Amino acid sequence: MTYKAEYIWLDGTRPTAKLRSKTKILATGSEPPVWGFDGSSTNQAEGHASDRVLQPVASYPDPIRGGDDVLVLCEVFHTDNTPHESNTRAALREVAERHAAQEPLFGIEQEYTFFKGSRPLGFPDGGFPAPQGGYYCGVGTDEISGRPTVEKHLENCLAAGLAISGINAEVMPGQWEFQVGPLGPLDVADQLWVARWLLYRTAEDFGLSATLDPKPAKGDWNGAGAHTNFSTRKMRESYDAVIEAAEALGRDGKPLEHITNYGIGVEARLTGAHETAPWDKYSYGVSDRGASVRIPWQVEVEQKGYIEDRRPNANVDPYVVTRLIVDTCATALEKAGLA
């Protein structure tokens, strides 16, 4: 007896990595082993020494093939067992372990846009739909495009055991969002990548493509982000810790360090319009969706909770954004005696 293991990894494409996958047939009862691939075809090696190593790090039931088949998320290593330069998960592992005592949690809101051919789904050929306003959380064929694909993607994510906490239609036609978390840094990033793979794979069956482009339609249309919600144990107990985390993200050159690693094309999305703050000006505020970082109103009322970093693009690498936020905020909380 055998089962199928779909090995999934991030390639070396820059500035934004692509997902790759291939199938291995394994004997029932055996664990997915270390495997290899041709790195010269994924921007991860030169042709004269192209072997690269896939190290399984997480496994999930395969909701598309079903049965005993699995999805196997992998890190990429060199043959000398050192992490490949494209392996952003390895850097997060070290930071997550260093700050584990603070019990950081994340929830990431992944926006994306469906395309049919060269146009966003819901955009008529040779023209434009009605201005945005009624599409957000809308209902009806005059407002909504792509719901069958969205519902199937949700079913697939839940069947894979992912911690999907919600979905909704977004502000632009053909634009949707799903949320992953709350989970620790490694788990939320792992599951977001697998949910992205399932999004692309599910959309194949409906003849659609899904893009994480942060500004998929130019002009007076909302961009696509990956708003990142964050807390530590102390933040979930103390409003002082919430404020310190929000302040820390604005100190000591951190705004530029973060924004330059929050996804390519961030300047096109963070303009100060369409519920964004300007990319080059850091701010935070209660219930303020025009700020870089929002403190939800109920957090102020309850004097404890979390913050929402609204700057990350839809195409951000979750291994990078969680590493930066944990390192910046947890380090500041330690120094302030709020760890």
Side-chain angles (χ1 to χ4, degrees), residues 178-192:
F178 63 86
Q179 303 96 36
V180 178
L183 293 166
L186 282 166
D187 284 338
V188 78
D190 286 347
Q191 292 197 24
L192 186 60

Side-chain angles (χ1 to χ4, degrees), residues 157-223:
C157 287
L158 293 174
L162 305 184
I164 301 293
S165 49
I167 60 170
N168 60 270
E170 269 300 333
V171 178
M172 193 183 86
Q175 195 176 73
W176 292 81
E177 173 183 300
F178 63 86
Q179 303 96 36
V180 178
L183 293 166
L186 282 166
D187 284 338
V188 78
D190 286 347
Q191 292 197 24
L192 186 60
W193 275 117
V194 173
R196 286 175 173 179
W197 186 90
L198 284 169
L199 175 65
Y200 301 144
R201 177 61 187 83
T202 303
E204 283 183 26
D205 292 342
F206 290 83
L208 300 176
S209 58
T211 178
L212 306 185
D213 189 320
K215 193 69 174 177
K218 309 307 178 188
D220 193 20
W221 300 100
N222 270 39

Side-chain angles (χ1 to χ4, degrees), residues 99 101-107 228-249 282 284 293-296 298-309 325-334 336-339:
H99 297 293
Q102 293 198 47
E103 300 176 19
L105 290 176
F106 285 90
T228 302
N229 301 279
F230 169 74
S231 69
T232 63
R233 182 187 66 256
K234 194 66 173 180
M235 290 169 68
R236 297 188 289 272
E237 299 170 349
S238 164
Y239 195 61
D240 288 343
V242 171
I243 295 299
E244 177 58 27
E247 290 276 355
L249 289 168
Y282 178 80
Y284 72 89
V293 169
R294 179 178 70 97
I295 299 173
Q298 69 269 32
V299 172
E300 183 185 47
V301 170
E302 296 174 2
Q303 293 289 287
K304 61 183 179 181
Y306 66 99
I307 58 174
E308 176 197 42
D309 192 334
I325 291 176
V326 167
D327 206 25
T328 294
C329 295
T331 299
L333 290 168
E334 289 170 2
L338 294 168

Side-chain angles (χ1 to χ4, degrees), residues 46 95 98 145 167 233:
E46 299 293 334
V95 171
R98 177 152 39 92
S145 301
I167 60 170
R233 182 187 66 256

